[in-house]
Amino acid sequence: MEVPHELSWGDVYYSPFLLVIILSVIATWITVVILNKTRLSRLIAYPSMTFIAITVLYSVAIDAYFIQF
């Protein structure tokens, strides 16, 4: 598996870290929607800090298993 060194869109080059962050935020939004539908979010004291923590966990997991930056 080849590790991407940079992503390009037109003539602009982006770091693979940008793709990791975008994917982790999307996965976190999906997780938050599931937590809201199952009413488990009422047990969370600080939702914004929890959102950031889940985003960090997803970004570490995506970096470790899918896209290394």
Side-chain angles (χ1 to χ4, degrees):
M1 180 171 165
E2 184 179 330
V3 177
H5 296 286
E6 55 195 19
L7 304 170
S8 65
W9 185 355
D11 291 334
V12 180
Y13 293 99
Y14 298 101
S15 171
F17 183 64
L18 181 65
L19 180 61
V20 169
I21 292 299
I22 290 171
L23 291 175
S24 63
V25 167
I26 291 170
T28 304
W29 276 336
I30 292 169
T31 303
V32 167
V33 167
I34 291 170
L35 287 175
N36 286 336
K37 294 280 185 188
T38 58
R39 297 183 42 91
L40 289 173
S41 62
R42 62 186 169 89
L43 302 173
I44 297 172
Y46 299 104
S48 58
M49 289 177 61
T50 306
F51 186 87
I52 293 171
I54 294 172
T55 304
V56 169
L57 290 175
Y58 275 128
S59 63
V60 169
I62 290 171
D63 176 49
Y65 296 111
F66 297 111
I67 305 170
Q68 286 83 25
F69 59 90

